[in-house]
Amino acid sequence: DACSPQLFATDHAYNLVVREEMPFRDAYREIASRLDTLEPMDPYEQLRNRTHIGAAGEPGPGLLRGQLEGGRAARGAGQ
């Protein structure tokens, strides 16, 4: 299966960080120690949960390009 639970190991680690306030390094080690017993995650839900620039499904490069061009235009107008 292409979307095995192990694919979402980082997501599981982040859940420990958020829910149990565990440092990421400890959460990562905890998840690594039980890769074979991780609960499956819905890949579509996990993609919808990603909101940072550059995440799957996010228009990060286009957004960043617009911000850069806007900054250049502002600097050019101030000269």
Side-chain angles (χ1 to χ4, degrees), residues 50-61:
R50 286 170 169 66
T51 57
H52 57 85
I53 294 174
E58 284 293 316

Side-chain angles (χ1 to χ4, degrees), residues 8-51:
F8 298 103
T10 303
D11 297 274
H12 285 284
Y14 279 133
N15 287 341
L16 289 176
V17 169
V18 172
R19 293 182 184 147
E20 299 185 24
E21 298 181 0
M22 183 182 290
F24 181 78
R25 188 172 295 200
D26 295 339
Y28 188 84
R29 288 182 181 135
E30 168 67 27
I31 296 302
S33 73
R34 53 189 178 100
L35 280 176
D36 294 333
T37 61
L38 293 176
E39 292 293 321
M41 292 182 149
D42 178 355
Y44 296 103
E45 180 181 345
Q46 292 310 110
L47 288 173
R48 280 191 301 274
N49 289 338
R50 286 170 169 66
T51 57

